[in-house]
Amino acid sequence: MRAVVFEEFGRDAKVQDVPDPVPSGQGVVVRVEATGLCRSDWHGWMGHDPDITLPHVPGHELAGVVEAVGSAVVNWRPGDRVTVPFICACGRCPACAAGAQQVCERQTQPGFTHWGSFASYVALEQADVNLVAVPEGLSFAAAAGLGCRFATAFRAVVGQGRVAPGEWVAVHGCGGVGLSAVMIAAACGAQVVAVDVSARALELARSFGAVECVDASAYPGGADEAVRELTGGGAHLSLDALGSPVTCAASVRSLRWRGRHVQVGLLPTAPVVPMARVIGLELEILGSHGMAAHDYPPMMDMVRSGALRPELLVTSTIALDAAPAALAAMGTALGAGVTIIEPAK
Ligand SMILES: [Zn+2]
Ligand SMILES: [Zn+2]
């Protein structure tokens, strides 16, 4: 098969011919129809993820068709349209037994712990625990995001963030996961303040339901003051969807008393969190890490009803040959919306 391979961190990834994967007993191999280019792929390529061994194939946000199933798989067969949470749970550890597959103690992650989906085929473990059916009406390009950014945003806003109608929600960073969060929070009846340095990203955020947009380039130290002003004292819920010391601290400072901060973006360097404010205002600091397959139904219901429209997030589709350059470009140019790679085209 063809795959994007890198042999050194931060240096040229190339499309190469490599052996086809085979499914493990409880795993499947999926023919990749669409795979998103996510900032986590860039972090992995840069060497920020300790799980990655070289040579490596990135890609973890995918949708496609089951090609081959392991002998112990019960619920899936070749031809099924599927996506998968990028955190593939073991199904048996104490976290899994408690229903918290997104923090599984023995998780695998395509594109991190093993070769990922910037390829014609990808192997996925524990299919009966992890696969999610993609309805006929949903395109593979739209479904790919349900494996990482869209589902992560859903859990951050609805699960960890406990959004309620009428609340103010600030979203710092409107890339793929941030724009997903804007759409989801607005669909849940919240009033959303979108924060980004890109005019195009803010334009998309407004079209997805943000009632206020803040150009963060006017606030190099963080846009929290603008958010507190627009929300009459601070947001009830604020997300750092980018992952930087500035956006993390700004998100915490954006909150009103007893507000909730959810850290979604990965932080390559440790932020300084304003802990005096966390104490004085009784703020909650929460992490959010993907979403378990069994938590997908409420999100899929909102997709099916049209309340959520993940297809609107896809702003460009590229072939596998264009993926290495697009991966490298993620470090500097944070494009607006989501780029999807289509390995079969
Ligand atoms: Zn991702
Ligand atoms: Zn587990």
Side-chain angles (χ1 to χ4, degrees), residues 194-213:
V195 183
D196 201 281
V197 294
S198 151
R200 174 74 185 127
L202 291 176
E203 200 179 298
L204 285 170
R206 198 173 283 284
S207 75
F208 296 158
V211 292
E212 301 283 357
C213 290

Side-chain angles (χ1 to χ4, degrees), residues 89-97 100-101 103-107:
C90 76
R92 293 183 306 273
C93 73
C96 284
Q101 281 83 352
V103 289
C104 169
E105 295 169 19
R106 288 193 293 270
Q107 60 190 254

